């Protein structure tokens, strides 16, 4: 809830696309900075695996960032190592738990790999 009189400029729009067939894209508005894309997904009932609990120790929260990369916490070496172990890594691969929305506002768009393909890495 935003107190009256304060500007609401620090908000993101986050769009989730899905590789899994049958799932339609979901656009979420009014997302505050400071959350990871994994948290944003889970808070909105979007399934995204997170076997390590969001501490950059697996690769099951793997996703592709299509837009808004600059609004996210930078890729770390450790994250890159885990991305290498993900299924079908691409140049725009990230780990959802490491993609913290930075202070600011804007639009971020991601694609989630098929969540039925995971085999417990
Ligand atoms: S949940 Fe394990 S690396 Fe993100």
């Amino acid at each position: 809830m935003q107190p009256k009189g304060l500007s609401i400029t620090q908000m993101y729009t986050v769009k989730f696309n899905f590789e899994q067939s049958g799932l339609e894209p979901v656009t979420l508005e009014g997302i505050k900075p400071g959350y990871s894309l994994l948290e944003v997904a889970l808070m909105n009932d979007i399934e995204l695996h997170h076997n390590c609990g969001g501490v950059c120790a697996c690769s099951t929260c793997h996703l592709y960032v299509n837009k808004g990369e600059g609004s996210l916490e930078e890729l770390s070496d450790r994250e890159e190592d885990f991305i290498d172990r993900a299924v079908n890594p691409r140049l725009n691969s990230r780990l959802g738990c490491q993609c913290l929305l930075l202070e600011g506002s804007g639009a971020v768009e991601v694609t989630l790999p098929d969540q039925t393909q995971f085999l417990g890495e």
Side-chain angles (χ1 to χ4, degrees), residues 103-117:
E103 284 301 313
S105 58
V108 174
E109 184 174 333
V110 301
T111 298
L112 304 194
D114 186 343
Q115 297 296 294
T116 63
Q117 76 187 345

Side-chain angles (χ1 to χ4, degrees), residues 38 48-62 79 82 95-98 121:
L38 172 65
L48 179 56
H49 290 298
H50 48 284
N51 288 8
C52 75
V55 296
C56 199
C58 71
S59 56
T60 56
C61 63
H62 174 222
E79 182 182 350
F82 279 102
L95 297 180
C97 69
Q98 301 303 299
E121 346 177 346

